[in-house]
Amino acid sequence: ILKEYINIDFGNKKVSAIVAVKKNSVRVKNKNTKKFADTNLLEIKLKTLKTVNKIDEIVLSTNCEIAKNIKNLPLTRNYMYN
């Protein structure tokens, strides 16, 4: 899906990628922060977004303290909600 947007010309507009991470998943508990092959789903998502050079900022929107406190994430800013 990301590859479809890589060649879009956004002109001088700032492009933000907003990643929503919900604390409680119904089917897989803590799926975004659960360890998976020496990483986790959130890190994989963010590292993939970081490779898209047309994205100016990556924003994490979450109600999960674990996700918010993961070190070395390529984020521009965090937004916590309850």
Side-chain angles (χ1 to χ4, degrees):
I1 294 173
L2 281 176
K3 291 181 181 182
E4 295 174 15
Y5 296 101
I6 291 175
N7 294 321
I8 294 174
D9 182 14
F10 293 104
N12 294 330
K13 295 180 181 176
K14 186 174 184 180
V15 177
S16 299
I18 301 172
V19 179
V21 175
K22 186 177 165 187
K23 181 178 179 180
N24 296 319
S25 174
V26 175
R27 292 175 282 175
V28 180
K29 186 173 180 153
N30 299 319
K31 71 178 175 188
N32 289 296
T33 57
K34 189 177 223 169
K35 283 293 180 194
F36 175 76
D38 295 329
T39 188
N40 59 54
L41 186 58
L42 176 59
E43 289 176 4
I44 293 168
K45 289 177 189 179
L46 295 173
K47 287 177 183 175
T48 302
L49 286 170
K50 191 72 175 173
T51 64
V52 181
N53 61 1
K54 294 191 178 190
I55 295 176
D56 297 305
E57 69 175 352
I58 300 171
V59 179
L60 177 65
S61 176
T62 186
N63 63 347
C64 178
E65 283 292 331
I66 296 170
K68 182 182 173 225
N69 292 319
I70 294 175
K71 302 291 182 208
N72 301 320
L73 293 180
L75 294 174
T76 307
R77 58 191 159 114
N78 280 331
Y79 172 73
M80 280 294 289
Y81 65 91
N82 294 322

